[in-house]
Each structure stands twice: as structure tokens, then as C-alpha cells.
Amino acid sequence: DAGVSMIPVCMKGGYVIYPSTSKLPKLFDWKNRSRYRIKIVFGTAIHGESLNAVQMTEQVRKQIVEMQAIVN
């Protein structure tokens, strides 16, 4: 109803860098002397003018599953 596009996003590594129990992010693994990495993949825009909520949810879920295969 709002007439805006939705862009699905898939991210891997965010919880390693910034766990919910931490006050500050951990950017460096001192034990292995390496930086932590985040992978972010953006999907294609989904225009919802002609879609109902179920159809839009299905398209978003389909893109996220495809993006998870890329990130992993």
C-alpha cells in the first residue's frame, strides 16, 4: 500500500563481530591474528504494486534462499 520497493539483504558474520552479549564489536581475532569478515549480498528490488502480501513474502523468501547459497 505504501508504494515502495523492498530490497532483500543477506548478511553472514555479523553475530561474530557484534554478538548480542557484547557492548562493543570485535573486529580482530587476536588468537589467529586476522580480521573478522562480514559478507553482505543485496537482492534485486521487489516492486509490490501488483503483489499481495503472500506473493511479496514468497518472492523475498526465494531471493534470501538464493543469497544464502552465495554467502555460504
Side-chain angles (χ1 to χ4, degrees), residues 3 7 13-15 17 29 32 34 38-39 42 44 53 55 58-59 63 65 68 71-72:
I7 300 175
Y15 289 113
I17 290 177
D29 181 5
N32 296 321
S34 64
I38 292 181
K39 293 181 182 178
F42 294 93
T44 58
Q55 292 170 328
E58 184 60 33
Q59 283 196 5
Q63 281 196 33
V65 168
Q68 284 175 338
V71 172
N72 291 329

Side-chain angles (χ1 to χ4, degrees), residues 3-72:
V4 296
S5 298
M6 184 181 299
I7 300 175
V9 178
C10 185
M11 181 174 69
K12 181 178 180 180
Y15 289 113
V16 173
I17 290 177
Y18 208 162
S20 61
T21 58
S22 179
K23 291 184 179 182
L24 296 172
K26 297 185 282 183
L27 302 176
F28 196 78
D29 181 5
W30 294 100
K31 185 177 180 180
N32 296 321
R33 298 182 185 247
S34 64
R35 291 183 292 169
Y36 290 116
R37 305 239 181 230
I38 292 181
K39 293 181 182 178
I40 302 173
V41 178
F42 294 93
T44 58
I46 298 171
H47 308 286
E49 296 94 23
S50 62
L51 302 173
N52 63 29
V54 175
Q55 292 170 328
M56 183 172 262
T57 303
E58 184 60 33
Q59 283 196 5
V60 169
R61 189 165 59 77
K62 180 182 172 188
Q63 281 196 33
I64 289 174
V65 168
E66 292 171 0
M67 290 185 294
Q68 284 175 338
I70 293 169
V71 172
N72 291 329

